[in-house]
């Protein structure tokens, strides 16, 4: 089986490019089906999409990197070359290592953060339910979960970490003298908004409101924090009431435009607004950042803030990498054992290596004899005799060893290998 991974993340691709390849969880099953239908052998596949990364993992009896690149590029509306300029393409052990590092939080913007493990588990579950997960990827991801658990329990990789949402609260605290005097609006009602609301609620702001496309979900979340519920259609008329806005939805188009923010600022008499856009693609138009009285942060802007405490965690990275190395070796061993050709391929490689070593040794000996002026025919005779003895030594030793049954079996094998016939009487 061939295993490969193709992806872009916060380290390799800008936010707007990542936005082209963002998939909501409910989009994954049909997207996986479309991808698998483009390849003749319908590979195993899992698609991971978060605000910081989009990655597709595949396994099949035939490597299909080029079709995978072309499919993902077409899906995002870019050329294959533009995608490859920002992507990483990994195979076999390196693909497994990447999956293990992602699950363990070593490849995250927030080193050691735990949220990515839940997101990866969701992606694997959806792929499994969609019938796209086979034995190989099941093993890969189950082992990645086990490695992540060991990393988290055996090292301090998650210590001193600060989440994106906690970073947002910290930045708000730098802008406003007292967070108890501000009104906060949350746009969306997913996991990131729930985390953000939890962090802001701990600061006891003057008021909180949640705007969501589905009122039922918005009301459920608002009930936990004593927040008001708004419709998304209410945003243009109510935006000016809020000092801080945190948005994270699955919308493919911006929900908060430049004009709406300009009108809100005018009504606020240009009192500053703090805005955080955690969505990929963007929820807030990029031009908003150019307004004088708006402090707009995206997921990429929060990078320097969330690195606080990173130095304290670096000592644990080496321990985590060692755990991951062991996991990769175990997975690759499992892969090799499943391949009926693996033993034969390895044996052929070892035989060729041994034969080449014998050849080099005899050639070196012959050259020394020739340099001393020895007769050419005698040197060639010695060369041939030396190679013959080396090649037959193992077989002859086995024929003289063991019991009668073993010797008979060895004799039959040696005859088939060297005489191309039955054993001689």
């Amino acid at each position: 089986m061939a295993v490969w991974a193709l992806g872009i993340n916060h380290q390799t691709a800008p936010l707007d490019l990542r936005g082209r390849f963002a998939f909501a969880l409910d989009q994954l099953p049909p997207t996986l089906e479309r991808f698998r239908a483009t390849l003749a052998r319908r590979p195993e596949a899992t698609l991971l999409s978060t605000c910081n990364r989009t990655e597709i993992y595949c396994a099949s009896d035939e490597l299909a990197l080029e079709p995978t690149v072309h499919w993902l590029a077409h899906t995002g509306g870019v050329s294959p070359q533009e995608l490859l300029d920002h992507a990483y393409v990994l195979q076999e052990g390196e693909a497994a290592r990447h999956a293990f590092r992602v699950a363990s939080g070593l490849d995250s913007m927030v080193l050691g953060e735990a949220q990515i493990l839940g997101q990866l588990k969701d992606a694997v579950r959806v792929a499994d339910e969609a019938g796209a997960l086979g034995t190989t990827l099941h093993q890969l991801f189950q082992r990645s979960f086990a490695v992540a658990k060991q990393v988290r329990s055996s090292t301090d990789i998650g210590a001193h970490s600060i989440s994106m949402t906690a970073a947002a609260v910290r930045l708000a605290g730098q802008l406003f003298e007292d967070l108890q005097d501000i009104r906060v609006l949350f746009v969306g009602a997913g996991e990131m908004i729930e985390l953000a609301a939890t962090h802001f609620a701990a600061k006891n702001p003057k008021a909180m409101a949640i705007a969501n496309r589905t009122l039922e979900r918005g009301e459920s979340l608002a009930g936990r924090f004593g927040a008001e519920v708004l419709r998304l259609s209410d945003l243009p008329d109510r935006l000016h009431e809020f000092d801080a806005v945190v948005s994270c939805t699955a919308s493919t188009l911006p929900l908060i435009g430049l004009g709406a923010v300009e009108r809100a600022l005018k009504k606020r008499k240009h009192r500053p607004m703090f805005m955080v856009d955690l969505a990929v693609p963007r929820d807030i138009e990029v031009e908003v950042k150019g307004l004088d009285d708006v402090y707009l942060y995206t997921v990429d802007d929060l990078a320097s803030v969330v690195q606080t405490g990173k130095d304290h965690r670096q000592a644990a990275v080496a321990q985590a990498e060692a755990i991951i190395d062991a996991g990769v070796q175990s997975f690759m061993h499992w892969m090799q054992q499943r391949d009926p050709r693996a033993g034969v391929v390895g044996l052929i490689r070892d035989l060729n290596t041994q034969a080449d070593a014998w050849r080099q040794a005899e050639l070196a000996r012959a050259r020394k004899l020739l340099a001393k002026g020895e007769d050419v025919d005698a040197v060639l005779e010695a060369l041939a005799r030396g190679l013959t003895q080396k090649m037959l030594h193992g077989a002859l030793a086995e024929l003289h060893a063991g019991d009668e049954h073993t010797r008979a079996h060895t004799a039959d094998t040696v005859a088939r290998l060297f005489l191309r016939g039955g054993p001689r009487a």
Side-chain angles (χ1 to χ4, degrees):
M1 292 289 287
V3 176
W4 67 96
L6 167 67
I8 56 174
N9 65 17
H10 61 283
Q11 296 173 320
T12 68
L15 187 152
D16 287 331
L17 182 64
R18 298 202 306 273
R20 288 178 168 269
F21 300 94
F23 302 94
L25 206 59
D26 60 358
Q27 293 178 305
L28 296 186
T31 303
L32 285 170
E33 177 56 31
R34 285 195 297 272
F35 165 65
R36 298 179 72 218
T38 63
L39 275 69
R41 295 181 181 271
R42 291 184 64 83
E44 299 179 33
T46 299
L47 186 58
L48 172 65
S49 182
T50 74
C51 59
N52 287 330
R53 70 183 66 247
T54 293
E55 298 173 344
I56 185 165
Y57 295 84
C58 306
S60 179
D61 56 0
E62 184 176 280
L63 185 65
L65 279 176
E66 188 173 345
T68 305
V69 171
H70 278 76
W71 172 82
L72 189 58
H74 176 75
T75 301
V78 302
S79 69
Q81 187 55 55
E82 184 178 356
L83 173 61
L84 287 174
D85 286 344
H86 297 278
Y88 37 92
V89 181
L90 307 166
Q91 298 181 50
E92 311 305 340
E94 288 308 307
R97 182 182 307 281
H98 184 74
F100 292 175
R101 296 186 84 252
V102 169
S104 301
L106 266 67
D107 195 61
S108 297
M109 183 181 290
V110 184
L111 182 63
E113 59 97 4
Q115 187 181 9
I116 184 62
L117 180 58
Q119 293 168 325
L120 183 56
K121 287 182 175 180
D122 285 340
V124 172
R125 174 183 54 78
V126 169
D128 192 20
E129 292 172 352
L133 196 70
T135 303
T136 301
L137 288 189
H138 176 78
Q139 275 288 326
L140 173 66
F141 289 116
Q142 291 306 311
R143 288 168 183 263
S144 76
F145 302 155
V147 164
K149 181 179 180 180
Q150 186 177 357
V151 166
R152 201 156 299 280
S153 61
S154 304
T155 75
D156 291 329
I157 198 69
H160 312 290
S161 65
I162 176 172
S163 69
M164 290 284 193
T165 51
V169 175
R170 179 177 292 186
L171 287 171
Q174 294 174 5
L175 178 62
F176 301 108
E177 291 185 8
D178 190 347
L179 294 184
Q180 292 185 355
D181 293 332
I182 70 171
R183 298 175 180 272
V184 187
L185 170 64
F186 301 98
V187 183
E191 183 179 2
M192 288 294 282
I193 290 298
E194 184 175 354
L195 288 170
T198 300
H199 282 287
F200 271 99
K203 301 297 182 180
N204 298 310
K206 182 184 294 184
M208 293 171 58
I210 294 174
N212 193 51
R213 194 177 305 277
T214 305
L215 275 183
E216 183 180 356
R217 170 63 178 160
E219 289 170 349
S220 174
L221 188 58
R224 290 180 48 194
F225 301 104
E228 180 186 0
V229 181
L230 304 181
R231 296 180 183 275
L232 287 180
S233 57
D234 295 333
L235 284 181
D237 295 328
R238 300 285 305 275
L239 193 59
H240 68 281
E241 300 175 17
F242 300 97
D243 306 290
V245 178
V246 181
S247 187
C248 186
T249 75
S251 175
T252 57
L253 296 172
L255 298 175
I256 301 175
L258 176 63
V261 179
E262 286 177 328
R263 289 189 295 273
L265 286 173
K266 188 174 181 180
K267 290 181 180 179
R268 290 172 59 82
K269 302 186 185 308
H270 292 276
R271 283 182 293 115
M273 289 183 72
F274 173 77
M275 306 184 83
V276 178
D277 189 352
L278 297 173
V280 180
R282 298 174 188 264
D283 278 346
I284 303 173
E285 285 187 345
V286 64
E287 292 80 8
V288 170
K289 195 163 190 174
L291 297 175
D292 289 339
D293 301 301
V294 172
Y295 297 83
L296 171 61
Y297 297 88
T298 66
V299 287
D300 288 356
D301 295 326
L302 294 175
S304 60
V305 180
V306 301
Q307 295 308 321
T308 301
K310 184 175 180 178
D311 292 343
H312 298 287
R313 301 192 297 278
Q314 285 298 339
V317 171
Q319 295 174 274
E321 295 285 11
I323 294 171
I324 289 169
D325 284 343
V328 172
Q329 291 174 14
S330 176
F331 175 71
M332 294 308 297
H333 179 67
W334 176 82
M335 287 277 288
Q336 290 164 5
Q337 285 192 321
R338 292 184 67 225
D339 186 353
R341 301 166 298 175
V344 174
V345 170
L347 180 58
I348 292 172
R349 182 185 62 246
D350 292 344
L351 283 172
N352 283 327
T353 300
Q354 180 65 81
D356 189 62
W358 289 337
R359 180 180 65 83
Q360 294 287 356
E362 290 303 319
L363 279 174
R365 182 168 173 269
R367 290 189 180 103
K368 286 182 181 179
L369 291 174
L370 289 173
K372 291 179 180 180
E374 297 284 345
D375 180 70
V376 173
D377 288 337
V379 171
L380 291 175
E381 178 66 27
L383 172 65
R385 186 168 57 251
L387 282 174
T388 302
Q389 289 174 344
K390 283 179 170 60
M391 287 189 292
L392 292 178
H393 173 74
L396 295 175
E398 288 296 319
L399 285 171
H400 289 94
D403 55 29
E404 184 177 351
H405 175 74
T406 302
R407 287 198 300 272
H409 178 71
T410 302
D412 181 65
T413 301
V414 169
R416 284 188 290 106
L417 291 175
F418 293 98
L419 304 177
R420 291 295 182 180
R424 300 295 177 88

